[in-house]
Amino acid sequence: QARLLRVLVARSAGEDIAFCFGGVFGDTFRGLQNSFDDRFRDLSLGNAMQAHTIARLAEEGVRLYDLGSEMEYKTRWAEGGLSTVTLIAVNR
């Protein structure tokens, strides 16, 4: 059994209040979704879920965390991004 999916769920009083999940491919984790119940915003559950996920992945030997698409809110968790340019050359 491959066991590639990783899911972390935070609960309070028997209720799911936050989650983080993604897949492991070799030494890389690809984050798919991280979310929390806005009623608990003051607990910084999004950050807590990321921190716990990263700690667990590190214990498994996962070395890289692919956050997926580049979005402003992800910058606190990401290293410097890779910028690319498309160049089209036309022989006239």
Side-chain angles (χ1 to χ4, degrees):
Q1 191 173 29
R3 303 183 70 159
L4 300 176
L5 182 63
R6 298 296 182 276
V7 179
L8 185 63
V9 178
R11 296 179 56 87
S12 176
E15 180 181 14
D16 295 347
I17 61 171
F19 68 89
C20 184
F21 74 90
V24 175
F25 304 95
D27 68 348
T28 301
F29 176 77
R30 172 59 165 89
L32 297 173
Q33 183 68 41
N34 184 28
S35 190
F36 61 91
D37 186 323
D38 200 49
R39 294 176 296 160
F40 299 92
R41 177 173 290 278
D42 292 346
L43 298 177
S44 298
L45 290 173
N47 292 333
M49 297 302 284
Q50 288 289 2
H52 284 288
T53 297
I54 290 168
R56 288 180 178 205
L57 291 167
E59 289 173 3
E60 290 182 37
V62 173
R63 297 181 52 233
L64 302 170
Y65 189 145
D66 178 358
L67 292 170
S69 59
E70 189 173 317
M71 301 177 91
E72 181 63 32
Y73 76 92
K74 294 180 180 182
T75 58
R76 76 174 61 198
W77 294 103
E79 296 177 353
L82 174 65
S83 296
T84 60
V85 176
T86 301
L87 175 65
I88 299 173
V90 178
N91 186 3
R92 292 183 188 231

